[in-house]
Amino acid sequence: MDLNKEIKYVCYERTYHYFLKKYMEIKSPDIFYIDRFLGFKFNCDNPEPLFPQSNLLEELMRDKCINIEVVEINDLINILFGKLETSVAKVGMSMLNAQNEEYFTSVLLEKIDSDYVFYTKISETARDIEKPLPIDEFLERIYRENNKVEIEWLSYDSPIDALLWFEKGKEKYANLQYVNEFEEFILSQKSFYCNVENQQNLKCDKKLQLRFSKHVLNKLYPLVFFLEEEFISSNENDLVLEGIKLEQSLNKFQKISSIILSLGDFQYIEAYIEMLYEINCHLKKLYEKVLGEIL
């Protein structure tokens, strides 16, 4: 598994990728991004303002694998012993960031024995695969509300027909119209980050920094990975070439964003907005080309 590639996905989708590859033996979950070219919706008030109009990956996971359970903290360990034979468990747990600050994030519990819980966490700062954690420490760090813990069970006792789900994704192109709310997102970014006060806030607000670049990249890089997986043998295919252009634009966008965030230099904000418009242009063309391939 290429962990450097995995961190380019949205954090919760990394967990699904890991699960599908390891437990469901699906070599490339990228095929479940076939419907992402139908466009993105925009919600200004959401911490992640961009979200796909259609999400086949989430539909698949909820239909075949996911079961949500809320349990008492005192019952948690016994429940893990009983269920980690046919499932893995996604839960919230406290971690320390690079500045040694505590924050909560999701981890995947894979195994348990009399002394340890073994968890997996893949991120920019963590490459923890089945890392042992003493049970007592785990219970201190687990996220709970009113002594209750929410568990997202991912069950692997039923097989997934990947090609059947891929065909379901293709069928969406006959039923859904392209959504282009990415332009609204660009206008929102331009209005917000051209404001001097907001530029100052960006330097210290992690959520604003994520919205500035990372959330964009995590939503769009998977489109490139899908094209590489499905059309890599067609080197002269217009669809592949447009995918390469999108990747190049995303790489430039990442560099410009990094310069602005690291230096706090907003003279590049116009270049940042221009790159968003360039990315949007590629998204429109990719929809048309994917539609042509499918229909």
Side-chain angles (χ1 to χ4, degrees), residues 30-276:
D30 290 321
I31 66 170
F32 303 128
Y33 286 83
I34 176 66
D35 60 334
R36 297 294 175 96
F37 298 94
L38 283 160
F40 290 83
K41 292 188 175 183
F42 169 65
N43 182 343
C44 185
D45 297 324
N46 197 304
E48 294 183 33
L50 281 176
F51 56 99
Q53 175 190 190
S54 179
N55 194 331
L56 182 70
L57 176 64
E58 183 177 291
E59 292 173 24
L60 162 67
M61 294 300 297
R62 295 198 177 280
D63 184 71
K64 300 293 292 184
C65 306
I66 292 176
N67 180 44
I68 305 295
E69 182 179 17
V70 178
V71 305
E72 296 284 345
I73 186 69
N74 292 335
D75 299 329
L76 178 60
I77 297 302
N78 286 336
I79 290 172
L80 291 177
F81 269 108
K83 289 193 174 183
L84 285 180
E85 294 297 324
T86 57
S87 302
V88 290
K90 191 166 78 163
V91 298
M93 193 173 79
S94 67
M95 306 279 280
L96 293 177
N97 62 18
Q99 290 73 42
N100 211 36
E101 300 167 332
E102 185 180 43
Y103 70 102
F104 280 95
T105 187
S106 64
V107 300
L108 192 68
L109 309 181
E110 299 199 57
K111 295 189 300 186
I112 187 170
D113 63 22
S114 59
D115 298 310
Y116 297 98
V117 171
F118 297 83
Y119 75 90
T120 290
K121 177 65 181 178
I122 301 171
S123 69
E124 290 81 357
T125 57
R127 302 289 195 278
D128 300 327
I129 307 296
E130 292 191 23
K131 183 175 181 177
L133 180 67
I135 288 178
D136 288 345
E137 183 179 347
F138 166 70
L139 289 173
E140 290 176 2
R141 292 169 57 182
I142 190 78
Y143 180 77
R144 84 285 305 271
E145 290 186 4
N146 299 320
N147 286 322
K148 294 183 183 295
V149 176
E150 181 176 287
I151 305 173
E152 182 178 306
W153 293 105
L154 305 181
S155 172
Y156 51 85
D157 58 352
S158 298
I160 290 175
D161 187 335
L163 291 179
L164 174 64
W165 279 89
F166 182 66
E167 290 301 317
K168 287 183 179 181
K170 292 168 67 174
E171 290 170 4
K172 290 174 179 281
Y173 286 83
N175 301 315
L176 294 173
Q177 297 293 318
Y178 179 67
V179 169
N180 188 29
E181 294 183 10
F182 195 88
E183 290 185 358
E184 295 179 38
F185 168 71
I186 298 173
L187 293 174
S188 173
Q189 295 291 87
K190 183 176 183 179
S191 173
F192 188 88
Y193 290 110
C194 285
N195 181 289
V196 175
E197 181 179 348
N198 290 332
Q199 291 176 5
Q200 295 301 315
N201 292 336
L202 179 65
K203 296 177 181 178
C204 58
D205 191 321
K206 183 68 173 178
K207 290 182 179 179
L208 291 181
Q209 293 172 9
L210 291 172
R211 184 180 178 125
F212 188 71
S213 61
K214 189 172 183 295
H215 287 327
V216 179
L217 295 165
N218 286 163
K219 293 293 194 308
L220 299 184
Y221 265 122
L223 276 66
V224 174
F225 300 147
F226 168 83
L227 293 173
E228 290 175 348
E229 183 66 30
E230 290 303 306
F231 299 99
I232 195 167
S233 61
S234 307
N235 293 325
E236 301 302 321
N237 190 305
D238 285 345
L239 185 54
V240 173
L241 296 177
E242 193 63 42
I244 291 172
K245 291 178 183 178
L246 173 62
E247 182 176 22
Q248 291 171 341
S249 294
L250 290 174
N251 290 340
K252 291 177 185 176
F253 173 80
Q254 185 175 27
K255 289 179 181 178
I256 292 171
S257 302
S258 297
I259 290 172
I260 294 174
L261 289 174
S262 61
L263 300 180
D265 188 345
F266 279 83
Q267 67 173 313
Y268 296 101
I269 194 66
E270 289 300 326
Y272 165 89
I273 298 298
E274 287 177 11
M275 288 309 308
L276 284 174

